Amino acid sequence: MKKIIPLGALELLLIIFFLCACNNEVSWTPLLDNELSEWDTYLSYRLPSDYSGKVPEDENGVPVNPIGLNNNVSNVFSVWDSAGSPVLRISGEIYGCVITKQEFENYHLKMKVKWGNKKWEPRLDKLLDSGILYHSRGEFGDGYWRTWMPGQEFQVMEGHMGDYWNFSTTGIDIRAFIPEGDMNPVASDKQSFLPLGAGSNLPGFCLRSADFESAMGEWTELELICYEDKSLHIVNGHVVMILRNSRSVNDGQSVPLTKGRIQLQSEAAEVYYKDIMIRNLDELPEKYGSYFN
């Protein structure tokens, strides 16, 4: 007969602590299901190869209205089941996005992305392109492409996973090398924070520190960590950009931009997303805190 040894208070506390830690580690909320129930869709236009940034016009010179909200023309957005897990296909045929119905603040977002084979005008001779726009607020159709809500962009582009673009009135500071001449800023965790975009003297674009994208046809895991005014772009486990002082600038007044909806872009390329998950953060994860010191 085996002797049962009662647990002491210390052992019980350690077990409780371990169970709580495990629970926190798996407290992810899925954002993708077969019905796209957590998302709205938005489509603007089929843009021509000679697109100039203006609102498209008809043959009489009258501005054309965008296709609009939750009008999924040509099935640009579709979800199919793969081994019991939903996969989002974005055809890219028309410029637009899926956008979360909720706003999010202080979170860790992760997903996997893989390219399809199709391209559309006006990017037939350009790299495959999509993107994650976070802290999205305002109206659809702002900016050059007349499509998306203003926000901060985690670039999803062939060879450029994790680049940054500001969008319209947004700006941010990034640890990056100072640009010179025609060169772009390049992210580096060894550099000081460089103001970019609205509220700065530099354009709102920065190259990721290095290329960690998976081979063509394979899934690349992307992670976005946002806490207060800070964010991190992570590709296949590698931090490729460190950002802080997220802001929106209107009429010369800068205000913090720390929450908003999340957009996944349809941008003239076929792309697939899966395993889209999010969890709330009560603090910046300890392993990333030193990036901001």
Side-chain angles (χ1 to χ4, degrees):
M1 180 176 176
K2 294 182 179 179
K3 184 178 180 180
I4 299 175
I5 302 174
L7 292 173
L10 179 59
E11 287 86 350
L12 285 171
L13 285 173
L14 288 173
I15 291 172
I16 292 170
F17 176 81
F18 176 77
L19 290 174
C20 290
C22 290
N23 184 60
N24 288 337
E25 189 63 29
V26 297
S27 59
W28 292 93
T29 299
L31 287 181
L32 182 62
D33 58 29
N34 292 331
E35 290 75 38
L36 273 178
S37 63
E38 300 295 326
W39 305 80
D40 288 318
T41 67
Y42 181 82
L43 292 172
S44 60
Y45 309 100
R46 290 181 172 88
L47 297 176
S49 57
D50 61 350
Y51 178 68
S52 64
K54 297 180 180 179
V55 174
E57 298 177 344
D58 64 17
E59 61 275 10
N60 298 314
V62 177
V64 176
N65 291 325
I67 294 169
L69 193 65
N70 295 323
N71 185 10
N72 189 16
V73 171
S74 298
N75 205 31
V76 170
F77 309 107
S78 59
V79 180
W80 52 279
D81 185 88
S82 175
S85 297
V87 176
L88 169 64
R89 176 184 180 260
I90 301 177
S91 74
E93 181 178 355
I94 305 170
Y95 271 58
C97 63
V98 292
I99 180 167
T100 58
K101 294 179 180 179
Q102 296 184 61
E103 288 192 341
F104 294 96
E105 182 177 20
N106 296 334
Y107 60 87
H108 185 172
L109 174 72
K110 65 179 181 180
M111 66 189 71
K112 292 177 181 176
V113 62
K114 181 173 70 172
W115 297 114
N117 299 314
K118 294 183 178 180
K119 293 183 183 181
W120 311 86
E121 291 186 358
R123 299 192 57 84
L124 290 172
D125 58 349
K126 295 179 174 62
L127 298 171
L128 295 161
D129 198 6
S130 181
I132 305 167
L133 287 169
Y134 58 102
H135 300 341
S136 302
R137 313 194 86 183
E139 301 295 327
F140 291 106
D142 201 359
Y144 180 89
W145 296 104
R146 308 295 176 181
T147 297
W148 302 291
M149 281 184 179
Q152 310 286 19
E153 182 171 356
F154 181 132
Q155 175 76 288
V156 178
M157 178 187 274
E158 184 183 2
H160 287 268
M161 295 288 186
D163 286 358
Y164 167 81
W165 281 99
N166 85 309
F167 204 93
S168 185
T169 58
T170 65
I172 211 160
D173 302 346
I174 302 174
R175 286 196 182 276
F177 287 97
I178 298 171
E180 182 177 330
D182 293 333
M183 296 188 300
N184 294 305
V186 179
S188 170
D189 61 2
K190 299 177 178 61
Q191 297 299 303
S192 299
F193 282 97
L194 183 68
L196 298 171
S200 78
N201 295 320
L202 292 172
F205 174 71
C206 185
L207 287 163
R208 75 286 180 275
S209 59
D211 178 17
F212 294 106
E213 183 179 355
S214 301
M216 184 62 71
E218 298 181 5
W219 293 98
T220 298
E221 184 172 64
L222 307 178
E223 297 177 75
L224 170 65
I225 292 178
C226 296
Y227 185 73
E228 296 178 341
D229 69 340
K230 305 174 183 67
S231 55
L232 293 162
H233 295 184
I234 303 171
V235 179
N236 279 335
H238 300 273
V239 175
V240 298
M241 192 162 294
I242 304 154
L243 314 92
R244 73 176 186 189
N245 192 23
S246 174
R247 59 187 176 272
S248 178
V249 180
N250 295 280
D251 298 324
Q253 298 297 313
S254 179
V255 296
L257 181 61
T258 61
K259 66 178 180 179
R261 298 166 74 181
I262 299 166
Q263 303 174 85
L264 302 179
Q265 294 175 309
S266 173
E267 198 168 359
E270 183 182 33
V271 63
Y272 297 90
Y273 290 94
K274 72 173 185 176
D275 299 342
I276 306 175
M277 310 282 284
I278 198 166
R279 64 178 177 181
N280 294 329
L281 295 178
D282 295 325
E283 60 183 359
L284 187 68
E286 184 177 355
K287 66 182 290 187
Y288 299 117
S290 61
Y291 287 109
F292 297 95
N293 295 336

